[in-house]
Amino acid sequence: MRVLIVDDHEIVRRGVRSLVSLEHDVCGEAVDGQDAIEKARELQPDVIVMDISMPKMNGLQAIPLIHDILPKCEILILSQHESPQIVQQAFKAGARGYVVKSSIARDLLTALESVAQRKSFVDPAFEVVSDKGGHVDAQEVLQRSQALERALRESEELYRNTFELAGVGVAHVNPDGRWIRANRKLCEILGYTEAELMGLTFQQITHPDDLSNDLVQAEKIRNGEVDRYVMQKRYIRKDGSPVWINLTVSASRDGSGKLRHYISVVQDITERRTLDGLKGRLAAIVQSSDDAIISKDLKGIITSWNAAAARIFEFTEEEAVGKPGTIIIPQDLIAEEKQLLQRLGSGERIEPYETERCTKSGRRMSVSLSLSPVLDSNGQIIGVSKIARDITARKRVEEALLDGQEQLALALESSKTAMFDWDVTRRRGKWDEQMSAIYGFNPEGEYISEKEWQTVVHPDDRSRFLKETGSWLDELRNDRFSFEFRTVRSDGDNRWILSHGSIHRDENGKALRLIGTHTDITDRKKIVQALQKSESSLRAAFGQAYSFLLLLNPDGTIIEANRAALEAAGSTREEVIGRKVWEPWWSPLPDEVEILKQAITRVAAGESIRGECYFCLADGTRRFGDRTLSPVMENGKVRMIVATGLDITEQKELRDELEGRVEERTRELAEKNRALSAQAEVVRDISAKLMHSQDQERRRIARELHDSAGQLITAVQMVLAPMEKDVQQLKPEFGEGIKQSLEMIDQLSKELRTVSYLLHPPLLDEAGLPAAISWYVEGFSERSEINVELEISPDFGRLSYELEMTVFRIIQECLTNIHRHANGHGARIRITRSSREVRVEVQDDGKGFKGLKAGDESTAPVREGVGIRGMRERINQLDGSLEVRSSDSGTIVTATFPLKPGNEETSRDLVSSQNAAK
């Protein structure tokens, strides 16, 4: 039988060769798993005797690769690991037998014979009692391995489903930026199919303004400076629109630490950023509003009071907040306020309405109120918010206009209207009874000539009338006309006539006929004169307003302006009346002119508009104002526009100054926060490095004990074992001494392995967390006589090296504390894993922490000592959380770790990376 020996220690290889060569042909030796593959291909052995823990590639990794080359070659594992979990891993990988190095002299040759005959062999050292007292044989190991393999396949399927159905975008990206894999959610966010993304790089679809920072962070991950980074950035969707995302990037590396690909987690935050921007704008609007904004609770007590409220109602914020809202409500309207609060509290909707309020000085004013409920986080109404606008001046203007409109309506009802038909070519028109009633003139016949017509037109208007009914008709292109003139009746009475009409033309555009109406508007004219006489009272009403007031035609022509507006513009009334509203105040500001023209067009269509704007005084000084444009409707049509404005330049300057101070202070605080964060990060980084160094030193010492002292002891056993039988035959008294020496050497070997494993358990590297914890708990129970119950799923799976090491150290620290301080008799460890987190819970039945009262059954937070602080720092490095609760009936330690991309590795990847580190 040809045998290949594989071990990274020459002393062990030499001892195995000396034993095996007595009965079999040793065809060669190899120093690690990679070397074993090459030697197996070259030497074609029948059986390979191989260690597990070796550099470059360990035995568990090498077994399936060797079977791919030599399917009939049997493999016997020879290792110092005395753990059933390692046996499971070995048989799962494809080994036929397993021998512990401490049993090499007794069992190696027997095991070789068994595996050569394709029979399984398990070292008798593994005849241990399970939790139920049953024997663990090779067949059970194989069955468990098959079950574990099925569980791993199910776990892999679960991972794939989780990847595809995740509520966030997940992708793998090549180091050069090319997409390797993307889930459905990411494709939905970016608007590309997965196939389309595979042809792109993340650089191509990243917003140019965000790309440089992203590349810098990605380079840091490539170089190993950071494990991950989080940032907000924009992608450009397939349709060209930007989408804001929260990006978390981590790395997947091979056994040598080289970057294989990036793992990107993408969350769409476009809506959240939009809402944040909207909230900021709404807050700015409230701060700069010139309307009073007041909040009250359901009892009517004022809870907030803005600057406009202080200006309008003359109470300062300190005087108003905490006082009942009735301080600004007239006595005769208090009942109305109580009724409104009751209706609002019952959930009834309150439409905006107009009412009256009073100021601190007792002045009564008209206001427009808008009410809305204030809700708590559960949607319950806890108060009311009011927006109040002073409309006193507008009310006075509306009342004056209403009086004028009523008088005008009465005049129109009493006016007389007649139809006319004028033949332009023949210069004559039809005359009927209605025309006779208006003009008090009866021509001879049905028609009236141009000469006869001139006799009824007032001499002062005759020339203008003839001109407007003459050559201008040929030049008029809209075929509509309207003008006024006076007539002289036969009784000597002068009347005002309004002529409306349209022009009919031939195919060449020459005017043929004028058809329209003549309306006696004398009474209307008198009303206009009466309105003009009441102008002084209207102007007085305007003058009482501290804000600017303008009356405009729907086309923007100024009809009237109050004193405040004229003083602000530095102009007289005569200088602004009849001009377009944008000429006196806005002509030096072309952008503002365009905005105002568009606004007037919208108001002329019935819309009300309010906004802030710049305007200019007569000397060119720029000022800032709050402007409102409101339509005045009559019979569904806009007859006039009321424009109000308030110069808030000083308020804006103060607001800008305050905003500047706030921004400056915010920047200072941000700088300090960044500095503190940087210091905290440095401290955390140093702490992490210290812990990493501690783990590495433990690992190094454990390795030295295992590889040097342990292997030397194994070699001594292999040398003395063959001598024992010979010496027993020659000198029994010497043989007994050699036997005792072998027993002591075996005990020393076990103690060295125990110390080595406590410093750094190799099971953690080779078999994973469940195997390592199970081994440690069994040993701890034996040493401490404390019964420990362990609950962990057999298909728990592998985690990242850092997470597995942290969980192991936490359990190790907890059990040490229980042994030293708890004075208890039992402990319980529960380790669970979900798709999102790993949870570790350690509970004991000891006396709890100092400072608790006797008989106190409720758990409470405890003061942290060095051990707990060390655990917390380890957990913080993985973004986990730690909770310690204690009572006089025991202590519960709970650690929770989020499962993120990069926190899960396959067994082979993990073992490979750890052996590479050796």
Side-chain angles (χ1 to χ4, degrees):
M1 179 170 56
R2 293 170 57 80
V3 179
L4 174 65
I5 302 171
V6 183
D7 199 293
D8 57 329
H9 293 277
E10 184 180 355
I11 295 175
V12 176
R13 293 198 305 274
R14 191 185 308 161
V16 174
R17 176 184 280 271
S18 65
L19 287 174
V20 174
S21 60
L22 295 175
E23 300 182 14
H24 304 288
D25 177 18
V26 177
C27 62
E29 297 179 9
V31 297
D32 55 45
Q34 187 64 48
D35 191 22
I37 295 172
E38 300 299 327
K39 294 292 176 58
R41 180 183 289 109
E42 175 186 351
L43 302 174
Q44 301 287 309
D46 300 309
V47 179
I48 297 177
V49 179
M50 183 161 57
D51 193 8
I52 290 180
S53 297
M54 297 180 291
K56 294 186 179 178
M57 181 183 292
N58 66 36
L60 297 180
Q61 292 175 294
I63 291 173
L65 300 178
I66 291 173
H67 279 162
D68 289 342
I69 301 172
L70 301 174
K72 295 183 179 181
C73 179
E74 298 296 340
I75 296 177
L76 172 64
I77 292 296
L78 181 62
S79 172
Q80 288 201 85
H81 295 307
E82 296 184 5
S83 167
Q85 290 78 14
I86 286 292
V87 176
Q88 292 178 10
Q89 296 293 326
F91 275 93
K92 178 184 175 182
R96 180 71 72 176
Y98 195 103
V99 175
V100 179
K101 285 184 178 179
S102 60
S103 305
I104 190 171
R106 184 182 68 244
D107 297 321
L108 180 58
L109 295 177
T110 303
L112 273 173
E113 292 294 336
S114 294
V115 299
Q117 298 173 22
R118 307 196 185 285
K119 298 179 181 179
S120 298
F121 182 91
V122 179
D123 196 304
F126 290 101
E127 293 181 356
V128 295
V129 178
S130 67
D131 292 341
K132 297 182 179 179
H135 182 72
V136 179
D137 58 14
Q139 185 62 32
E140 181 182 358
V141 170
L142 289 173
Q143 291 174 352
R144 289 181 181 179
S145 297
Q146 293 170 357
L148 180 59
E149 185 174 357
R150 288 195 301 271
L152 287 173
R153 285 197 299 269
E154 293 173 359
S155 177
E156 182 179 359
E157 182 65 24
L158 176 62
Y159 169 76
R160 283 197 297 267
N161 291 337
T162 302
F163 181 90
E164 285 301 327
L165 301 177
V168 295
V170 184
H172 296 167
V173 183
N174 263 342
D176 63 359
R178 189 166 299 279
W179 302 92
I180 304 173
R181 185 182 181 191
N183 71 349
R184 298 179 192 170
K185 184 64 176 178
L186 182 61
C187 295
E188 177 185 324
I189 292 173
L190 299 179
Y192 290 96
T193 65
E194 184 176 7
E196 290 172 332
L197 274 179
M198 297 308 102
L200 299 172
T201 65
F202 80 85
Q203 295 95 325
Q204 290 176 290
I205 64 171
T206 296
H207 194 285
D209 295 343
D210 301 334
L211 181 58
S212 59
N213 186 31
D214 201 359
L215 292 175
V216 168
Q217 297 301 323
E219 187 64 23
K220 288 182 179 180
I221 284 189
R222 181 196 294 267
N223 297 336
E225 300 176 35
V226 296
D227 295 328
R228 68 187 183 101
Y229 68 89
V230 180
M231 66 179 296
Q232 292 186 1
K233 59 176 278 189
R234 287 162 291 180
Y235 279 131
I236 303 299
R237 291 169 52 86
K238 183 179 179 180
D239 61 8
S241 62
V243 55
W244 275 100
I245 58 103
N246 189 75
L247 175 66
T248 303
V249 180
S250 57
S252 175
R253 303 183 185 276
D254 60 19
S256 64
K258 183 179 179 181
L259 178 67
R260 290 186 301 198
H261 59 262
Y262 298 105
I263 302 172
S264 297
V265 179
V266 176
Q267 182 181 8
D268 187 347
I269 60 170
T270 304
E271 183 176 354
R272 187 179 75 194
R273 286 186 64 96
T274 302
L275 289 177
D276 289 343
L278 179 59
K279 289 179 181 177
R281 289 194 294 273
L282 289 176
I285 290 171
V286 170
Q287 284 298 107
S288 60
S289 174
D290 283 308
D291 290 336
I293 301 178
I294 305 168
S295 296
K296 302 179 185 178
D297 61 21
L298 292 179
K299 295 181 180 179
I301 302 301
I302 297 172
T303 57
S304 69
W305 186 268
N306 74 340
R311 174 177 55 78
I312 293 173
F313 297 114
E314 302 172 1
F315 289 96
T316 64
E317 183 178 5
E318 292 75 14
E319 293 173 330
V321 174
K323 300 293 191 304
T326 53
I327 62 174
I328 61 170
I329 300 176
Q331 288 296 320
D332 56 329
L333 295 178
I334 290 179
E336 172 191 287
E337 175 72 5
K338 292 181 179 178
Q339 183 182 15
L340 286 174
L341 289 176
Q342 291 174 354
R343 291 169 59 192
L344 195 66
S346 64
E348 184 177 345
R349 176 180 174 84
I350 307 297
E351 297 292 338
Y353 70 101
E354 295 180 358
T355 185
E356 292 186 341
R357 291 292 181 262
C358 58
T359 66
K360 182 179 180 181
S361 62
R363 180 171 58 88
R364 194 153 173 154
M365 64 172 64
S366 297
V367 295
S368 174
L369 285 183
S370 296
L371 285 76
S372 57
V374 178
L375 308 178
D376 62 11
S377 58
N378 297 321
Q380 299 297 316
I381 299 176
I382 60 173
V384 59
S385 176
K386 291 186 176 183
I387 300 177
R389 175 177 294 184
D390 183 359
I391 60 172
T392 305
R394 194 194 76 190
K395 278 288 189 181
R396 292 175 181 171
V397 173
E398 288 178 352
E399 290 171 0
L401 290 173
L402 184 60
D403 290 342
Q405 289 173 357
E406 290 176 353
Q407 296 178 29
L408 183 59
L410 291 174
L412 288 173
E413 289 177 3
S414 61
S415 65
K416 299 177 180 179
T417 302
M419 298 293 295
F420 71 86
D421 185 350
W422 181 260
D423 189 329
V424 177
T425 304
R426 301 172 63 183
R427 314 300 291 178
R428 70 174 191 174
K430 286 186 178 181
W431 195 268
D432 56 17
E433 293 181 0
Q434 288 80 3
M435 294 288 280
S436 298
I438 290 175
Y439 292 102
F441 173 74
N442 291 314
E444 296 179 359
E446 183 181 358
Y447 291 93
I448 184 173
S449 64
E450 184 176 348
K451 183 176 181 181
E452 290 177 307
W453 180 252
Q454 293 178 18
T455 62
V456 299
V457 178
H458 194 284
D460 294 342
D461 297 336
R462 194 169 293 164
S463 59
R464 180 172 60 86
F465 179 81
L466 293 175
K467 178 181 179 182
E468 291 180 350
T469 57
S471 60
W472 64 276
L473 295 173
D474 296 329
E475 301 171 0
L476 193 63
R477 287 293 173 256
N478 60 10
D479 292 340
R480 296 283 182 181
F481 62 87
S482 178
F483 58 89
E484 297 176 0
F485 63 93
R486 288 169 293 177
T487 182
V488 181
R489 291 167 57 94
S490 58
D491 57 7
D493 187 18
N494 294 331
R495 309 293 291 179
W496 276 97
I497 306 299
L498 173 62
S499 178
H500 283 297
S502 61
I503 304 170
H504 291 253
R505 304 178 184 275
D506 61 15
E507 63 276 6
N508 298 318
K510 183 176 179 59
L512 299 178
R513 297 172 63 196
L514 275 66
I515 298 176
T517 62
H518 280 185
T519 303
D520 187 341
I521 61 171
T522 305
D523 293 337
R524 190 188 306 176
K525 281 287 188 179
K526 290 178 180 180
I527 292 172
V528 171
Q529 290 172 0
L531 288 175
Q532 289 174 348
K533 290 179 181 179
S534 65
E535 183 180 359
S536 58
S537 61
L538 181 60
R539 190 171 297 153
F542 276 24
Q544 292 179 12
Y546 63 87
S547 58
F548 313 152
L549 287 175
L550 299 171
L551 301 182
L552 311 175
N553 279 328
D555 63 355
T557 302
I558 301 171
I559 302 173
E560 188 56 85
N562 76 337
R563 183 187 58 188
L566 295 174
E567 289 177 354
S571 302
T572 65
R573 178 175 178 276
E574 290 72 19
E575 290 174 334
V576 299
I577 299 300
R579 300 175 65 185
K580 297 296 185 182
V581 67
W582 47 81
E583 294 177 1
W585 293 276
W586 287 280
S587 54
L589 304 171
D591 293 342
E592 293 287 351
V593 169
E594 186 60 31
I595 293 172
L596 180 56
K597 287 182 178 180
Q598 294 177 5
I600 287 176
T601 300
R602 291 164 57 190
V603 176
E607 184 178 351
S608 294
I609 295 177
R610 182 181 180 187
E612 294 180 344
C613 64
Y614 285 99
F615 66 95
C616 283
L617 303 181
D619 60 2
T621 303
R622 280 166 56 101
R623 304 288 289 175
F624 194 76
D626 185 338
R627 180 175 62 204
T628 301
L629 299 172
S630 303
V632 177
M633 310 293 291
E634 179 185 341
N635 298 326
K637 294 184 179 180
V638 176
R639 298 300 184 188
M640 183 170 60
I641 297 174
V642 178
T644 63
L646 183 66
D647 188 338
I648 59 172
T649 305
E650 287 73 18
Q651 293 93 317
K652 182 178 185 302
E653 291 174 351
L654 177 59
R655 185 178 70 198
D656 292 344
E657 181 181 355
L658 291 175
E659 289 178 354
R661 291 179 182 176
V662 171
E663 290 178 0
E664 181 179 357
R665 183 59 178 161
T666 301
R667 285 195 297 271
E668 292 175 358
L669 291 175
E671 288 295 331
K672 291 181 180 179
N673 286 337
R674 280 194 290 272
L676 289 173
S677 298
Q679 293 175 3
E681 189 63 31
V682 170
V683 172
R684 185 174 180 180
D685 185 55
I686 292 174
S687 176
K689 289 180 179 178
L690 287 174
M691 289 185 179
H692 181 71
S693 299
Q694 185 184 49
D695 288 336
Q696 292 302 314
E697 183 63 16
R698 285 181 174 182
R699 185 190 187 93
R700 185 189 65 80
I701 295 173
R703 187 68 180 179
E704 288 294 328
L705 290 175
H706 178 277
D707 291 352
S708 297
Q711 301 292 0
L712 287 172
I713 290 172
T714 300
V716 171
Q717 285 179 307
M718 288 188 293
V719 172
L720 291 178
M723 296 173 57
E724 179 186 359
K725 295 180 180 179
D726 296 338
V727 173
Q728 284 282 5
Q729 296 175 358
L730 297 175
K731 294 281 185 178
E733 63 274 14
F734 290 165
E736 186 63 28
I738 293 176
K739 179 180 180 181
Q740 293 177 358
S741 297
L742 283 172
E743 291 175 351
M744 288 186 289
I745 290 172
D746 184 59
Q747 181 64 28
L748 176 60
S749 175
K750 291 180 179 179
E751 291 182 1
L752 278 177
R753 281 198 302 274
T754 300
V755 173
S756 171
Y757 288 6
L758 288 176
L759 286 171
H760 183 82
L763 280 174
L764 199 60
D765 296 342
E766 312 295 351
L769 185 63
I773 295 297
S774 299
W775 166 83
Y776 182 75
V777 167
E778 291 173 5
F780 175 82
S781 297
E782 293 177 3
R783 294 190 299 273
S784 65
E785 297 183 354
I786 295 176
N787 181 34
V788 181
E789 297 179 10
L790 174 62
E791 182 182 338
I792 183 172
S793 173
D795 57 352
F796 185 84
R798 297 303 301 263
L799 303 172
S800 67
Y801 169 73
E802 292 81 3
L803 184 50
E804 287 188 337
M805 176 58 71
T806 298
V807 172
F808 182 85
R809 292 301 183 201
I810 288 172
I811 292 174
Q812 189 178 39
E813 179 68 25
C814 288
L815 291 180
T816 300
N817 287 337
I818 292 171
H819 183 232
R820 291 178 179 175
H821 309 297
N823 293 336
H825 302 287
R828 180 173 178 269
I829 300 173
R830 185 169 182 262
I831 307 175
T832 59
R833 174 179 183 172
S834 67
S835 60
R836 295 182 297 179
E837 66 180 21
V838 172
R839 183 181 177 88
V840 181
E841 185 178 289
V842 182
Q843 182 177 4
D844 67 70
D845 59 2
K847 63 183 181 179
F849 283 78
K850 293 182 179 180
L852 293 174
K853 297 179 180 179
D856 185 4
E857 295 299 330
S858 62
T859 59
V862 301
R863 296 179 58 186
E864 296 186 359
V866 175
I868 295 178
R869 287 199 295 270
M871 286 193 291
R872 189 177 298 282
E873 185 58 34
R874 282 183 179 275
I875 293 169
N876 287 342
Q877 297 295 329
L878 296 175
D879 296 329
S881 62
L882 175 69
E883 181 183 15
V884 183
R885 308 285 291 182
S886 186
S887 71
D888 60 359
S889 60
T891 301
I892 302 175
V893 178
T894 304
T896 306
F897 303 89
L899 274 182
K900 303 177 181 178
N903 275 356
E904 300 179 83
E905 284 190 45
T906 64
S907 175
R908 181 172 297 179
D909 288 342
L910 182 61
V911 175
S912 176
S913 65
Q914 297 309 312
N915 281 318
K918 297 176 185 177

